[in-house]
Amino acid sequence: MEPKEAVKEQAILEKRHWVRLTKACNNRCLFCLDTDMQDGTILPAEEVKKEIRRGLELGGERLILSGGDPTIHPNFTDFIEYGRSIGYKGVQCITNGRMFSYRSFCKRALDAGLTEATFSIHGHTPELHDRLVGVSGAFEQTRKGLLNLLNSGRCIVNIDIVINRLNVKHLSDIMEYFIALGIREFDLLQISPYGRAYPENKDILLYDVEEALPGLRKAFQMADDPSLFVWTNRFPVYFLEDFEKLIQDPKKLYDEVNGRHTELFDPYLQDKQPLLCVGERCRHCFVQNFCKVLMRLKDIVDAGEYEIIKLNGEDEELGALKSEMTDGKVLWLRADNAEDAGNAMKKITPTDLRRWILELASYEGAEGFLRSLENLERVVVGRGEDIDRVLAAAGDSRVEIQINTSTRKWLDDNAAVVEGAPEKFILSHKSYELLSKATVNDVPLKEIFNGSRFSGVPVRNIAPCLAPASPVWDDGKILDMNVLGENGKMEIFRFTKYYITDGYFTRSLRCKECVHYDDCRGMHINYVRNFGFKIMEPVKQD
């Protein structure tokens, strides 16, 4: 993992707490996502401070002040000072920047402890920016505010650019203009089909990304400058081939969910209403695949049409696991060791009627436990030092070997053993929530399979183009208990965690030419961030 990517990941992992100060703004952007919340009000100071305190109690490290536009709140600088005084390491604001054109205001904010300001700027000329934000003269005020903060040397200043039909062909020009002023960090936000962007201004703002790729790629190339930090936000990842370092960290999905769960996802998952946004706008929406997986899993949960139930063996999960849910199902138990797995199994009755898949972090000392288990259908192993002990104790059970840096040597040394028993083995790829973990654990799968190597041995979570001589193992429909809340229904933040690790797969645009396109989901997002889209080559003939 390169140093710049490590810095980005640490920034994502920092616990941030967003606090809205206003439901009002002195701009009227054509694409405003927040238009439904804009009623012109300023939130009471005590209510804001209460929310600032709550964020710190929840573990927040950075306080982010937002709106509307937060700077038009009369107590804006008081909130900065309050946040710093109670323990936040930094205070950031998301703003159109116009108030910072007043030097006295700028000084008060800096003296109060403002550490970072993100300016929303969408053009490099008054004509372009002012049209997009709906206010004549806004560009000059925002530019002046930006320079006031930059010249102070006391605050990090960066820029958000919402990419849309009006500015997409100027994106590199916009970046070059502000780089010349001293900006070194950009967040490129893909237009989102919500708020004023859809349906009010869809014909003005929504655009064909594929058509615009030449200009976009010119802007993306600027990220190669080691002095620049460039992020993408809500940008369709399959258009980022050759620019995989710009793929948005999957954990940013929590921000998407946080902004929509109350009015959209929660009512849907509690069976109160359908997903109201599904339809024409989906093809322009970054969470299109997220919602597809969500809806598919909800249908499986509602109908009870799953073959496998995945468990971590936690008391909360076991309490929600009703006996009628498990009838005729296979239970996939994940645990740290044999003792934890055994304790969990004892709480699931009647144990002797259950069929099991076992996945332990370590099988050290687990040989006796494995031999004692009845109806053990599969053992999943991810450490090279565990494979021989599992094979010795697992009897007739299948052994699934996760391919990683730990198991690679065993597979190289025992390739003939595995190839000679395709009915005994499954080879799989485990996905990781963080790029740093993927970088440490993942190996180039093409090298492992090397054409026809491991011919006939089933593979799981591996695209057919990477293991061309191996059949794809299908587990059928799986319910992961992690996605369920206390009421037995899916909970959106639990689902988001599940999706990031187990559901967030992607493909290259070139994959449309592949014979497996209709039944292949590609590779996990962090594997692609690690090795690039070019690992996937379309299979032209089955």
Side-chain angles (χ1 to χ4, degrees):
M1 190 172 179
E2 296 183 15
K4 191 184 285 190
E5 277 58 57
V7 171
K8 283 186 172 184
E9 185 172 285
Q10 286 304 309
I12 293 294
L13 292 176
E14 182 184 37
K15 293 182 179 178
R16 309 174 184 196
H17 188 66
W18 291 66
V19 177
R20 177 190 291 271
L21 307 190
T22 69
K23 295 182 180 180
C25 187
N26 49 353
N27 279 354
R28 184 166 167 73
C29 298
L30 297 181
F31 44 76
C32 179
L33 275 176
D34 207 35
T35 185
D36 293 339
M37 295 293 294
Q38 302 288 333
D39 61 9
T41 60
I42 303 294
L43 295 175
E46 281 309 309
E47 183 179 321
V48 172
K49 287 187 175 181
K50 180 180 178 181
E51 184 59 26
I52 291 174
R53 289 194 301 272
R54 190 179 78 87
L56 197 68
E57 291 165 1
L58 292 171
E61 299 170 287
R62 182 194 300 195
L63 173 63
I64 301 181
L65 304 178
S66 69
D69 197 278
T71 62
I72 63 176
H73 196 293
N75 302 105
F76 172 70
T77 56
D78 295 336
F79 298 140
I80 298 172
E81 186 173 14
Y82 181 69
R84 294 302 300 273
S85 70
I86 65 173
Y88 282 98
K89 295 177 182 177
V91 178
Q92 176 183 357
C93 70
I94 313 296
T95 177
N96 60 44
R98 290 170 57 196
M99 284 294 294
F100 287 106
S101 64
Y102 302 100
R103 290 192 178 183
S104 59
F105 178 87
C106 187
K107 184 177 184 303
R108 289 200 307 274
L110 292 169
D111 289 345
L114 185 68
T115 55
E116 184 170 343
T118 299
F119 279 56
S120 296
I121 305 180
H122 314 292
H124 60 312
T125 65
E127 293 77 17
L128 179 56
H129 178 77
D130 290 359
R131 182 184 179 190
L132 283 166
V133 303
V135 175
S136 178
F139 179 80
E140 289 303 331
Q141 280 192 315
T142 299
R143 181 182 181 278
K144 185 176 179 182
L146 182 96
L147 290 173
N148 282 342
L149 279 183
L150 275 175
N151 292 337
S152 75
R154 299 169 60 188
C155 178
I156 296 170
V157 184
N158 42 48
I159 287 179
D160 282 350
I161 305 171
V162 174
I163 309 172
N164 59 80
R165 182 188 291 273
L166 294 179
N167 69 7
V168 64
K169 64 183 179 182
H170 303 293
L171 185 57
S172 59
D173 297 326
I174 297 170
M175 293 174 67
E176 287 171 355
Y177 178 88
F178 288 101
I179 287 169
L181 294 183
I183 293 297
R184 288 295 176 266
E185 184 174 355
F186 296 88
D187 196 354
L188 309 179
L189 291 85
Q190 172 70 352
I191 183 76
S192 192
Y194 294 91
R196 293 193 69 208
Y198 189 96
E200 181 182 346
N201 293 311
K202 66 175 184 175
D203 295 331
I204 300 172
L205 299 175
L206 300 183
Y207 70 102
D208 187 315
V209 180
E210 199 159 4
E211 283 183 10
L213 267 182
L216 287 165
R217 290 174 68 87
K218 183 180 178 182
F220 295 156
Q221 285 169 350
M222 297 170 72
D224 291 336
D225 184 335
S227 71
L228 294 182
F229 274 83
V230 179
W231 309 71
T232 63
N233 203 316
R234 304 189 182 114
F235 201 86
V237 296
Y238 36 82
F239 291 114
L240 289 169
E241 185 156 347
D242 299 325
F243 301 99
E244 288 84 0
K245 292 175 184 176
L246 293 181
I247 293 176
Q248 177 178 322
D249 192 294
K251 291 179 78 68
K252 285 284 287 180
L253 281 169
Y254 284 110
D255 290 343
E256 298 296 318
V257 171
N258 197 44
R260 305 182 194 183
H261 74 96
T262 303
E263 75 282 0
L264 188 65
F265 293 121
D266 291 348
Y268 169 65
L269 293 177
Q270 299 305 315
D271 302 320
K272 295 177 182 177
Q273 66 184 36
L275 277 179
L276 298 177
C277 56
V278 171
E280 178 191 0
R281 74 177 88 180
C282 289
R283 65 191 183 93
H284 297 286
C285 184
F286 174 70
V287 295
Q288 176 185 172
N289 190 62
F290 176 91
C291 290
K292 283 182 179 178
V293 177
L294 177 70
M295 291 187 289
R296 186 163 61 243
L297 187 54
K298 185 177 188 296
D299 287 344
I300 291 171
V301 172
D302 290 348
E305 294 179 348
Y306 40 85
E307 291 84 33
I308 295 175
I309 301 175
K310 277 190 173 183
L311 293 158
N312 286 339
E314 298 167 352
D315 287 341
E316 183 179 357
E317 283 184 337
L318 297 174
L321 186 67
K322 309 302 180 187
S323 59
E324 60 269 21
M325 294 173 63
T326 67
D327 290 342
K329 315 299 185 187
V330 177
L331 272 62
W332 186 325
L333 180 61
R334 298 167 291 195
D336 287 337
N337 50 56
E339 182 180 2
D340 289 349
N343 290 336
M345 285 180 171
K346 291 174 184 175
K347 299 174 184 177
I348 302 173
T349 57
T351 301
D352 58 338
L353 299 182
R354 304 298 171 220
R355 294 180 292 149
W356 299 97
I357 297 173
L358 185 65
E359 182 179 348
L360 301 184
S362 169
Y363 288 90
E364 186 173 353
E367 293 89 340
F369 177 68
L370 290 175
R371 291 190 182 98
S372 72
L373 292 178
E374 297 181 7
N375 303 323
L376 181 61
E377 297 193 354
R378 191 191 324 170
V379 182
V380 183
V381 57
R383 298 198 314 166
E385 60 265 42
D386 285 335
I387 298 175
D388 286 327
R389 59 170 62 109
V390 166
L391 287 173
D396 294 331
S397 306
R398 270 194 184 265
V399 175
E400 177 178 328
I401 300 174
Q402 295 171 339
I403 303 173
N404 54 43
T405 51
S406 175
T407 60
R408 179 173 187 170
K409 185 177 187 307
W410 189 96
L411 286 169
D412 287 339
D413 292 343
N414 296 275
V417 173
V418 177
E419 285 189 83
E423 74 289 345
K424 177 69 175 178
F425 293 97
I426 300 172
L427 299 178
S428 67
H429 173 254
K430 180 179 179 178
S431 307
Y432 298 94
E433 185 179 24
L434 299 176
L435 177 60
S436 55
K437 287 191 174 182
T439 303
V440 169
N441 289 286
D442 282 344
V443 298
L445 292 170
K446 272 190 176 180
E447 294 180 7
I448 297 294
F449 291 94
N450 192 20
S452 61
R453 196 179 185 210
F454 298 116
S455 175
V457 180
V459 297
R460 193 173 70 83
N461 285 346
I462 298 174
C465 60
L466 300 180
S470 299
V472 175
W473 179 271
D474 184 7
D475 278 317
K477 296 174 181 177
I478 298 176
L479 166 62
D480 193 317
M481 289 294 291
N482 279 338
V483 305
L484 302 184
E486 292 181 1
N487 63 357
K489 293 185 179 292
M490 291 174 63
E491 196 277 327
I492 191 60
F493 290 101
R494 287 173 172 268
F495 170 78
T496 304
K497 181 177 177 61
Y498 159 83
Y499 177 81
I500 290 171
T501 303
D502 293 306
Y504 198 169
F505 282 64
T506 187
R507 299 179 287 188
S508 167
L509 287 176
R510 295 174 290 102
C511 291
K512 293 177 183 178
E513 305 168 14
C514 183
V515 297
H516 300 290
Y517 184 76
D518 291 336
D519 54 13
C520 173
R521 57 180 182 165
M523 291 300 296
H524 187 262
I525 187 68
N526 280 333
Y527 190 88
V528 172
R529 293 173 76 200
N530 196 2
F531 290 108
F533 280 105
K534 282 193 166 39
I535 57 166
M536 290 181 275
E537 291 294 336
V539 178
K540 301 298 179 68
Q541 183 176 348
D542 195 350

